Amino acid sequence: MINMEEEYQILEKAISKHIFEMACDPQGTHVLQKLVFLEKTSMELIDNLYEVCKDTNGLSVVKKIIAWYKPKDKRKYIADRICEDLIKICQSNFGQYI
């Protein structure tokens, strides 16, 4: 169990180079879904929303991130990212489920 801020930072640094691989991997997606509270990691996935949500596994992570962030400023940020690629997302096989 992770309790300390340093542990969160170590974990986030360790997965930062593999975020997109993990988001689209059947096992990696489960790990990322448990780590949506890591803001830097989550926002990096949201910044590349279209690429992540084209994959069924990535879509699951994005949906979990959207459900996790309740503050209006974070929700607005996510909504703005969705709007940037809205047409492509809607036309995507999996993205349309966002």
Side-chain angles (χ1 to χ4, degrees):
M1 176 175 249
I2 299 174
N3 295 335
M4 298 172 44
E5 183 64 31
E6 294 104 18
E7 292 172 322
Y8 290 126
Q9 291 172 356
I10 291 168
L11 178 61
E12 199 159 38
K13 184 178 179 182
I15 66 171
S16 67
K17 294 178 183 175
H18 307 285
I19 276 178
F20 299 108
E21 294 170 53
M22 291 175 69
C24 297
D25 179 77
Q27 285 75 35
T29 190
H30 294 295
V31 173
L32 287 179
Q33 287 181 45
K34 300 286 185 197
L35 300 175
V36 294
F37 60 87
L38 295 175
E39 187 172 341
K40 183 179 174 188
T41 299
S42 293
M43 290 303 120
E44 189 169 335
L45 290 169
I46 293 298
D47 286 341
N48 297 286
L49 182 76
Y50 175 65
E51 294 303 316
V52 176
C53 75
K54 288 192 306 186
D55 183 83
T56 185
N57 295 311
L59 173 66
S60 299
V61 175
V62 171
K63 287 170 52 176
K64 197 69 132 182
I65 290 169
I66 291 170
W68 172 259
Y69 285 100
K70 302 292 184 206
K72 288 186 179 186
D73 61 326
K74 296 293 182 203
R75 290 246 174 179
K76 178 160 178 19
Y77 181 78
I78 294 169
D80 290 344
R81 292 291 171 205
I82 291 171
C83 288
E84 284 180 12
D85 292 318
L86 186 61
I87 299 298
K88 291 192 299 188
I89 290 170
C90 290
Q91 292 173 338
S92 168
N93 287 340
F94 301 110
Q96 62 182 322
Y97 294 104
I98 286 183

